[in-house]
Amino acid sequence: MHVNLTLFKSSNMLLNSFNVFILALLGCVLGSHARMSGIDLSVLWPVNILVAALFYRCRHLNTPWYYCVAYSAMVMQDSLIYGWGFSAFTINAANLVFIFVLIKLLCWRGGYRQQEADITTSLHLFASCIVAALSCALVGALAQHAAEQTRQSF
């Protein structure tokens, strides 16, 4: 007996959307529990790396539609659990910038199937994560500053 369990099929957009949404939501829940329990692992914000790894490994999911699905899961979790409102949109936009920049930088080098033990591959991954984190921080800081300016004007 052979069981074929494939969560992400290139031909099934509805199933893929549901699975991306659930994976992003689970990553958000995991990150929020790490933040609430006082563990400093919330800095790693697992949803970013889970969604980035998914979009990198399953190239057919690396489309604007699935970015919007992941974004909606992140915003929904922050809005319902924390009641953040507008901040949920700005912070998660920064998270999406991290995912997008990381995927673009990882796919930038033409060869996808290099040896994993190659030191240049490790250095490229490290540099890509640093650049993606800096871009995420920049967008997050600008968005939060704009949100603060909007609140002060009322």
Side-chain angles (χ1 to χ4, degrees):
M1 182 168 92
H2 178 70
V3 176
N4 184 8
L5 178 65
T6 305
L7 294 177
F8 301 101
K9 298 178 181 179
S10 60
S11 60
N12 195 341
M13 188 174 181
L14 183 62
L15 178 66
N16 291 342
S17 298
F18 177 77
N19 288 333
V20 167
F21 186 86
I22 294 299
L23 182 72
L25 197 59
L26 289 175
C28 287
V29 169
L30 181 66
S32 67
H33 283 297
R35 187 179 328 142
M36 286 190 282
S37 65
I39 300 172
D40 288 336
L41 292 177
S42 65
V43 172
L44 301 174
W45 201 231
V47 70
N48 289 353
I49 201 63
L50 285 173
V51 174
L54 177 67
F55 289 173
Y56 180 73
R57 297 298 277 163
C58 300
R59 305 288 169 133
H60 62 276
L61 298 177
N62 192 11
T63 63
W65 171 255
Y66 294 112
Y67 278 91
C68 291
V69 169
Y71 179 72
S72 64
M74 290 185 240
V75 168
M76 186 188 90
Q77 194 269 344
D78 285 340
S79 297
L80 293 177
I81 301 298
Y82 297 116
W84 279 0
F86 185 68
S87 293
F89 290 96
T90 59
I91 292 297
N92 290 308
N95 288 339
L96 231 54
V97 167
F98 174 87
I99 295 166
F100 181 77
V101 169
L102 183 62
I103 296 300
K104 292 305 173 191
L105 289 173
L106 291 178
C107 294
W108 184 37
R109 296 179 67 184
Y112 301 122
R113 301 283 183 211
Q114 294 183 355
Q115 290 183 352
E116 292 177 5
D118 186 12
I119 189 71
T120 58
T121 303
S122 299
L123 290 174
H124 177 70
L125 177 62
F126 177 74
S128 298
C129 287
I130 291 294
V131 170
L134 288 173
S135 62
C136 173
L138 179 66
V139 169
L142 291 174
Q144 286 301 103
H145 180 70
E148 286 296 320
Q149 294 298 326
T150 305
R151 279 187 224 136
Q152 288 177 0
S153 64
F154 287 116

